[in-house]
Amino acid sequence: MSVGLFLALVLTAQPDPAALIPLFRQALAEREKQFGPQHPKVARSASDLALYLESTGDREEAAALLRRALQIDERSYAEGHPVLGEDLENLAAVVGTAEAMRLHSKAAQCKDPVIAARNLGKLGALQEAQGDRDTAAESHRQALAKEKAGSGPDHARVAVRLNDLALLLKPEAAEPLVRQALAIQRQALGAQHPETGVTLNNLANLLLATGRLEQAERMQREALSVLETTLGPDHPRVAISCSNLADILRAKRDFVGAKRLYNRALVIDEKAYGQSHPEVAADLVNLADVLEEMGDFEEARQLRGRAEKMKSQR
């Protein structure tokens, strides 16, 4: 039995994650002994151990092992090889933002367009997190082009790239991209799929932003139904959809309906995240807003006070 198959079998049967680490270390040691320290198979074992350590929270040792795997593979493969692209991507996940951006940029030069697209998408997300939305949008445009080239224009991953780009554009420019993503997902994944539901949610938000409230409400109710059916009524994505539908109802001045949905989002998020999570604080503020519009200033004040206390404790 190969080491890889052995580990795969153990992974399915072993309830204690910490007990698996010695097995990964043993596999690495055996390959070092069999092939020598600079063999690509050693790099694979080092990567396997690193990725498992990352999953247990040990990012420091994971980074050291991934650097070793990259160093070995750089001796074995030409620049742009898919193995190097994956090495760079894996290392980027366990280092600081500045280095991660450099690693993703290098991995984006991979000859495999799917790997390149994935890294461009991750690079764009980091750029967006730093507030550089224009550069992020360009990275997502490149990711979209690479994904179409590598996966074909109708692949579900193309829909992901379309959504990522759309979220950085103005509503008028974003809407055709989201509609294209929705059409791809309905065909590739089906109408009753959580990712389809998320895209319906995105489209509803765009319709709200451009003042088409009736269309927005219909789209958001469809999104909510899909997410409830596919993820269950207490999933955090259902809470997001409830809040978004409540936003639409507030815009239509249906404050009673909005209050009910904000309350539901709050209950879901408290159950999912606990009492002190930022999502819960945001739910409290939303609920306070609609209560003020209904004239219930005292309850709104109490909710805002609770939200402010949570923020000050973070």
Side-chain angles (χ1 to χ4, degrees):
M1 181 182 294
S2 71
V3 171
L5 178 56
F6 171 72
L7 287 174
L9 291 172
V10 172
L11 280 168
T12 62
Q14 177 56 251
D16 180 9
L20 292 174
I21 294 174
L23 297 174
F24 280 99
R25 294 192 191 282
Q26 179 185 350
L28 174 58
E30 288 177 357
R31 281 190 167 175
E32 287 175 325
K33 183 178 180 180
Q34 182 178 1
F35 299 107
Q38 298 299 321
H39 195 280
K41 289 186 178 181
V42 172
R44 299 287 65 72
S45 286
S47 290
D48 289 343
L49 172 56
L51 294 173
Y52 193 76
L53 288 169
E54 180 194 357
S55 74
T56 66
D58 188 349
R59 295 166 65 90
E60 184 175 352
E61 186 178 359
L65 286 161
L66 289 168
R67 291 186 197 281
R68 181 184 175 193
L70 176 61
Q71 183 182 48
I72 293 170
D73 286 335
E74 284 177 332
R75 296 183 178 187
S76 304
Y77 301 102
E79 187 172 346
H81 193 282
V83 169
L84 293 177
E86 291 182 342
D87 284 345
L88 291 162
E89 182 180 1
N90 290 337
L91 180 56
V94 295
V95 298
T97 299
E99 184 179 3
M101 291 174 71
R102 291 194 297 271
L103 292 167
H104 284 309
S105 294
K106 189 172 182 180
Q109 306 305 312
C110 179
K111 293 178 181 179
D112 183 329
V114 173
I115 295 174
R118 198 164 62 233
N119 280 275
L120 283 162
K122 291 178 179 180
L123 176 61
L126 292 173
Q127 292 164 335
E128 180 183 0
Q130 292 196 321
D132 191 352
R133 293 175 62 86
D134 290 341
T135 303
E138 180 56 32
S139 293
H140 285 303
R141 285 190 184 92
Q142 293 177 31
L144 175 59
K146 292 282 188 180
E147 196 69 71
K148 286 181 176 178
S151 303
D154 300 321
H155 196 282
R157 285 194 295 266
V158 171
V160 173
R161 306 294 169 214
L162 288 163
N163 270 313
D164 288 344
L165 175 57
L167 291 172
L168 291 168
L169 303 178
K170 293 180 179 179
E172 294 78 6
E175 184 177 338
L177 300 183
V178 176
R179 289 190 181 277
Q180 184 182 351
L182 181 59
I184 291 171
Q185 288 173 328
R186 282 174 166 162
Q187 181 64 35
L189 304 175
Q192 294 296 311
H193 190 281
E195 294 307 314
T196 306
V198 170
T199 301
L200 285 164
N201 176 83
N202 292 345
L203 182 53
N205 287 341
L206 292 172
L207 292 168
L208 171 61
T210 52
R212 289 168 284 176
L213 301 184
E214 295 299 330
Q215 294 179 52
E217 181 178 352
R218 288 196 299 272
M219 196 67 65
Q220 193 61 254
R221 289 192 185 279
E222 183 181 353
L224 179 57
S225 175
V226 170
L227 293 171
E228 286 174 327
T229 300
T230 58
L231 299 177
D234 298 323
H235 194 279
R237 280 188 173 181
V238 172
I240 293 171
S241 189
C242 285
S243 290
N244 289 341
L245 179 54
D247 291 342
I248 296 167
L249 296 183
R250 274 182 67 194
K252 296 179 69 176
R253 304 192 66 77
D254 179 0
F255 300 133
V256 173
K259 176 185 174 183
R260 176 178 58 80
L261 286 160
Y262 284 139
N263 263 317
R264 184 181 173 195
L266 175 61
V267 169
I268 293 171
D269 284 338
E270 285 179 329
K271 182 177 179 180
Y273 301 120
Q275 298 286 322
S276 303
H277 194 274
E279 286 294 331
V280 173
D283 293 335
L284 290 167
V285 171
N286 286 337
L287 189 53
D289 286 344
V290 76
L291 286 169
E292 286 181 349
E293 289 175 296
M294 297 174 73
D296 192 343
F297 299 106
E298 178 56 27
E299 187 177 356
R301 184 188 65 79
Q302 293 176 10
L303 292 174
R304 288 192 191 281
R306 181 182 162 195
E308 287 301 319
K309 183 178 180 181
M310 291 165 59
K311 291 177 183 177
S312 68
Q313 292 174 342
R314 288 204 295 270

